[in-house]
């Protein structure tokens, strides 16, 4: 009994440290319940843009993902996936390494062995000892504990990215951000149970989506940062599609003092924003 009790305590501590249990998202039912549109939702889902780094953090990195996940166990962790010259996948927001690391040049021109030698910079430009993470590193870190939003950058094949996800048996803890309905359909054909996210930037986009087979389920609408009329969100909600609104970037809410922006975040949720995509996930979550 002493050994058994010790084991249970160790497991409990491990789960608490990690924030969520391993294989929390283990089937389509679990992620469907987490992401589906809910009319009575009391608070938005919080999506941590690039993992939610502060000025002293690196973006798209395991230390930042861990910090955010520990503080917000239900946060969606967003990341940017790019392909290297030798067809491996790494995380980096920009097409070039200039801003985020101690080297320069296009990511696509570097091989993975060489990329492993570089070091990341914080948002404020300070050099760290952190290497660039591979996409496989992230899936191994996650162990299906958190939902990961995969921004598969142009020039990187989302189907090949999902094939890597499948190798890690992680199909039910991710959704893929697609840059066109055609790309989204190609991924859906290969992975019919996968959640996808597409841009719906105008009423014309919405009208096209209403007649598209993708609208039948497991779809997130990436709506404009500028708030739209309530009817815009309601029309998407009638399709069962949750709406994500970004608050990051110049002139947006994330760039304002939190005291000035609080009412703006809350208004986005009241208007119909089911998911708030933000650079400061911990602070924004505390507003709801």
């Amino acid at each position: 009994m002493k050994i058994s009790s010790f084991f249970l305590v160790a497991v409990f501590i491990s789960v608490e440290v990690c924030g969520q249990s391993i294989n929390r998202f283990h089937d389509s039912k679990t992620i469907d319940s987490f992401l589906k549109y809910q009319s009575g939702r009391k608070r938005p889902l919080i999506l941590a843009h690039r993992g939610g780094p502060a000025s002293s953090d690196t973006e798209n990195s395991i230390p930042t993902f861990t910090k955010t996940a520990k503080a917000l166990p239900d946060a969606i962790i967003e990341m940017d996936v790019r392909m290297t010259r030798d067809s491996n996948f790494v995380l980096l927001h920009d097409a070039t390494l200039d801003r985020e690391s101690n080297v320069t040049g296009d990511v696509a021109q570097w091989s993975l062995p060489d990329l492993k030698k570089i070091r990341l910079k914080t948002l404020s430009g300070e050099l760290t000892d952190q290497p660039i993470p591979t996409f496989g590193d992230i899936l191994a870190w996650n162990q299906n504990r958190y939902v990961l939003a995969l921004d598969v950058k142009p020039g990187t094949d989302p189907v090949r990215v999902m094939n890597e996800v499948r190798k890690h048996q992680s199909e039910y803890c991710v959704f893929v951000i697609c840059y066109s309905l055609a790309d989204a359909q190609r991924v859906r054909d290969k992975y019919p149970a996968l959640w996808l996210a597409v841009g719906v930037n105008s009423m014309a986009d919405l009208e096209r989506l209403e007649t598209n087979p993708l609208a039948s389920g497991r779809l997130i609408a990436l709506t404009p940062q500028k708030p739209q009329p309530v009817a815009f969100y309601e029309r998407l909600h009638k399709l069962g599609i949750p709406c994500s609104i970004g608050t990051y970037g110049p002139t947006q809410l994330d760039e304002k003092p939190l005291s000035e922006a609080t009412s703006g975040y809350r208004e986005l949720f009241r208007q119909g924003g089911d998911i708030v995509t933000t650079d400061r996930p911990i602070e924004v979550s505390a507003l709801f």
Side-chain angles (χ1 to χ4, degrees):
M1 286 298 293
K2 288 183 179 180
I3 294 176
S4 177
S5 298
F6 175 80
F7 176 76
L8 290 174
V9 169
V11 169
F12 176 77
I13 291 173
S14 175
V15 170
E16 286 298 301
V17 169
C18 292
Q20 290 289 4
S21 60
I22 291 173
N23 286 326
R24 175 191 181 199
F25 292 99
H26 61 279
D27 58 17
S28 59
K29 181 179 179 180
T30 309
I31 192 168
D32 287 353
S33 177
F34 184 81
L35 290 176
K36 70 180 181 181
Y37 168 65
Q38 299 176 26
S39 60
R41 190 182 290 278
K42 302 300 183 184
R43 54 182 289 119
L45 293 173
I46 301 296
L47 190 152
H49 184 234
R50 297 175 296 173
S55 62
S56 59
D57 298 323
T58 50
E59 57 189 72
N60 279 298
S61 68
I62 288 177
T64 296
F65 295 166
T66 300
K67 184 186 77 169
T68 298
K70 284 183 177 180
L72 300 177
D74 282 330
I76 299 167
I77 308 296
E78 190 260 0
M79 60 199 62
D80 304 288
V81 185
R82 292 189 179 275
M83 191 167 69
T84 65
R85 187 184 69 203
D86 49 356
S87 299
N88 288 291
F89 300 113
V90 295
L91 299 194
L92 205 77
H93 181 273
D94 299 353
T96 69
L97 293 150
D98 304 25
R99 178 180 64 87
E100 299 166 74
S101 80
N102 61 335
V103 299
T104 61
D106 294 343
V107 180
Q109 298 303 314
W110 285 66
S111 68
L112 183 59
D114 287 336
L115 280 173
K116 285 185 174 180
K117 300 173 185 177
I118 76 166
R119 291 298 178 261
L120 297 176
K121 291 180 180 179
T122 66
L123 289 190
S124 62
E126 294 296 319
L127 188 62
T128 73
D129 62 356
Q130 296 176 35
I132 188 170
T134 68
F135 183 46
D137 291 338
I138 301 305
L139 296 173
W141 163 83
N142 188 41
Q143 299 181 83
N144 300 335
R145 291 177 293 150
Y146 309 102
V147 172
L148 309 180
L150 310 182
D151 187 347
V152 180
K153 292 300 187 181
T156 302
D157 185 351
V159 172
R160 291 182 65 177
V161 171
M162 279 305 302
N163 292 343
E164 181 73 13
V165 172
R166 174 175 279 177
K167 289 179 185 178
H168 288 260
Q169 299 181 325
S170 295
E171 300 101 305
Y172 303 117
C173 74
V174 304
F175 68 82
V176 174
I177 297 170
C178 297
Y179 284 79
S180 71
L181 290 177
D183 275 351
Q185 188 61 63
R186 192 165 65 87
V187 181
R188 174 60 52 80
D189 290 344
K190 182 73 172 179
Y191 291 93
L194 177 67
W195 278 80
L196 301 170
V198 297
V200 184
N201 296 308
S202 65
M203 192 59 72
D205 284 351
L206 177 49
E207 290 170 353
R208 282 191 290 270
L209 181 61
E210 286 174 326
T211 61
N212 192 293
L214 288 167
S216 61
R218 297 193 173 105
L219 192 69
I220 297 167
L222 305 176
T223 63
Q225 291 183 300
K226 180 180 178 181
Q228 301 297 296
V230 171
F232 181 82
Y233 305 109
E234 289 179 341
R235 198 159 160 180
L236 286 162
H237 289 160
K238 285 181 180 179
L239 297 171
I241 298 175
C243 301
S244 173
I245 303 178
T247 59
Y248 56 89
T251 77
Q252 299 300 321
L253 290 174
D254 286 355
E255 300 301 311
K256 300 178 181 179
L258 194 62
S259 58
E260 294 180 16
T262 294
S263 61
Y265 290 115
R266 290 173 175 166
E267 183 59 25
L268 288 180
F269 177 57
R270 285 193 292 268
Q271 288 276 100
D274 308 287
I275 303 171
V276 175
T277 299
T278 174
D279 278 336
R280 48 183 182 188
I282 297 171
E283 296 86 347
V284 171
S285 179
L287 302 177
F288 297 94

